[in-house]
Structures are given as structure tokens and as C-alpha cells.
Amino acid sequence: MSAIADPVLQRAVEWKTRLLSGRASRADEDACLAWRRAADEHERAWQKVERSLADCLGDLKAVVRRDPRQAEAVRQALALPAPARREWLLGVAGLCGATGLALLAAQRQWPLEAAFASHATATGERRGVALADGSRLLLDARSAVDVDLQSSRRAITLTRGRMQLEAAAAQTPFLAKAPFCRLAVQAETPAGLMLARAPGRTVAVCTHGAVMLRAGHGARQRLQAGEGWWMGADGSGPLPPGRVRAAAAWERGLVEALDEPLGNVVEQLRAYDRGLIRISSRAAALRVQGVWSLDDAAATLDILARRLPLRVVRHGGWLTTIDLDRT
């Protein structure tokens, strides 16, 4: 069974939160049911959230059994108004180690799908890794790779997010894989490359030396330092120099946009914010250009709100909503 995509899990959590809010209408219930029925993945995400909430409450009861002194604090918290109660429960979910509705605590902190990866990073974490063959790896936030280093084979597969690889010279080529493409660093030739996964496409950049690229539909291309290529189900093509620089801006802790939808910027900020970021389709379609910090997603959103007709609202520390400002 295929993994459930992060946005689908996030949407399931949002539906559950709305229905638990005490303000949900019959129309909300019908809309949630329609969403669940729209796709098998939606229903699987919903069931995962249901199980996770049950686990969370079970862990909460276990905490009280182990330490009865916590019982009064729990009773007081459960008597809070619905919004504050939900925020408290989600915080407890993180402390108790629940493995799902912690999407706002555990899943948002650490992608559960990356649990068995060779190397993975948490929300807001960029990390360098020294590989056994002398190569160097840099992972973006919420990224994961599988590494296979043998005497006759060197390979790395990007399973989530973005990575930058400095492949050391060796007797065997180094193969880097991601959806829609493979990149090969030739034996005894050190080179650097960057791979980034996005919905429906992969972007590859040669940072130094040269790499051989093979796109999923059969195209072959030699990339020199400073050259980039995009690949997707509908084809592939070169990246203009400006977009090559923008594609690798995350390595410097930046998000760079060159006249592109705000939704693309927000998608990158999600890897650096421990809460959910929900943006309306109209706000996501706004065209933006500029360079902002990844490491402080909240400050970046504040800057964008001052420059654009946006309304950014934070609901505690677990949800940020972005919409057009109609005032």
C-alpha cells in the first residue's frame, strides 16, 4: 500500500480538528464525509488520524495511571474551552509519543514516512552527513535518503525533500536517483549535484564538475557546473540560470522566488514550520519575487503579509492560515 502524502494527512487532521471544535455544522460533517469518499487515500488518512487520536488518549490515560498527581491537571485541561483544549491535547500527544495525530507534534516534527531511511532530517533541520566513502551529503529540512555503498556499487536515492551531494572520487561511479531521473558521477571524478523533489517533478543541478543525467522518458543530458534540469511526467527541460540559483537557495537557508506563485514559497516554508500552514487557492496564486529566510518561517510570512494583500492568522502554535485580505 502506498504511503499517504503529507498534504492529505494534514487535510485529514484539519477535518478532524474542525469536527471536534464544537462549532462544526451539519454541512461541515457532510463535506468531511464527501472528502473521505473522494479517494481511497483520503479515507486511509482519516483512519490513521482516528487511530492516532485513540492512541494519544490512551497514552494520556497511562500517564495519569502512572502519576495520579497529574489527574487534576488533566481534568482542568479537559474543562478548557474547545480551542484551548485541542491545543493542550495536541501538546500532550507530542509528550506521550503518539504516532500520528502528532502530525502537529510528531509528524510535523519528524516525517514518520522517513523512519526507516538511511538518513533523515526533522522539521527545520538542515544537516550534513559524512558518508563512508568520503562523500559529503547535505539534507534539507524534512528530507530523507537511502544510501547503498558497496565495493562494486555506490548509490543514493532521494525519497523525500532535497539533498546536495559532494561525491568523492572512487573506483565505481556514484548513482543518485529520484523520481523521473538518475544522475551519474563517473568513477574517479569528484563532482557535486543537488536533487530536489516537488509535487509532480524533480529538479537536478550540477554544482561542480560534471554529471550525466538520464530523465525518466529516456532523454540524456550532460550537466556542467551551474547547469540545471527539471523532469516530470510530462517531459523535461533545462533550467534558466536564475532558476538554477533559486533551486539551490535552500543550501544557504533561503527561499528564492522569481515571479512564481506564492504557493511554491509556502510549500518550502512548510518544511521549516512545526505547525500546519494552510493557504487558500487564491492566495497561493499570487505571483511573488524575492528572497526570504527559511529558518524563521513565521517572520517570512509576516514580511510577505506586509508586502502583499494577505491575511496571516496564527491559531496557537499549530496552525497558520493564509488568505487574501479582503479589507
Side-chain angles (χ1 to χ4, degrees), residues 157-163 178-179 195-199 201-203:
T157 301
L158 178 66
T159 59
R160 181 188 181 96
R162 301 186 283 201
M163 73 172 199
L195 276 175
R197 293 184 57 165
R201 68 167 48 191
T202 295
V203 169

Side-chain angles (χ1 to χ4, degrees), residues 160-185:
R160 181 188 181 96
R162 301 186 283 201
M163 73 172 199
Q164 198 270 342
L165 174 69
E166 299 285 336
Q171 297 298 313
T172 56
F174 206 129
L175 183 65
K177 298 181 286 185
F180 311 113
C181 75
R182 293 188 175 194
L183 291 168
V185 177

Side-chain angles (χ1 to χ4, degrees), residues 178-182 213-220 229-233 235-236:
F180 311 113
C181 75
R182 293 188 175 194
L213 178 147
R214 185 174 68 185
H217 60 284
R220 294 175 180 269
W229 208 263
W230 69 267
M231 295 136 290
S236 64

Side-chain angles (χ1 to χ4, degrees), residues 138-252:
L138 177 67
L139 288 178
D140 191 20
R142 294 181 68 83
S143 297
V145 296
D146 288 327
V147 178
D148 181 12
L149 297 179
Q150 303 177 31
S151 60
S152 60
R153 172 184 173 84
R154 294 190 299 166
I156 186 168
T157 301
L158 178 66
T159 59
R160 181 188 181 96
R162 301 186 283 201
M163 73 172 199
Q164 198 270 342
L165 174 69
E166 299 285 336
Q171 297 298 313
T172 56
F174 206 129
L175 183 65
K177 298 181 286 185
F180 311 113
C181 75
R182 293 188 175 194
L183 291 168
V185 177
Q186 299 305 307
E188 301 181 359
T189 305
L193 60 92
M194 189 278 295
L195 276 175
R197 293 184 57 165
R201 68 167 48 191
T202 295
V203 169
V205 171
C206 179
T207 56
H208 72 266
V211 298
M212 293 299 301
L213 178 147
R214 185 174 68 185
H217 60 284
R220 294 175 180 269
Q221 181 70 30
R222 180 180 174 86
L223 297 182
Q224 303 284 352
E227 294 180 338
W229 208 263
W230 69 267
M231 295 136 290
D234 54 349
S236 64
L239 290 178
R243 295 201 177 276
V244 170
R245 183 187 67 250
W250 66 268
E251 299 173 15
R252 307 188 305 278

Side-chain angles (χ1 to χ4, degrees), residues 123-137:
T123 299
E125 177 191 21
R126 283 188 307 279
R127 179 159 51 88
V129 178
L131 300 182
D133 70 335
S135 298
R136 293 287 306 178
L137 175 68

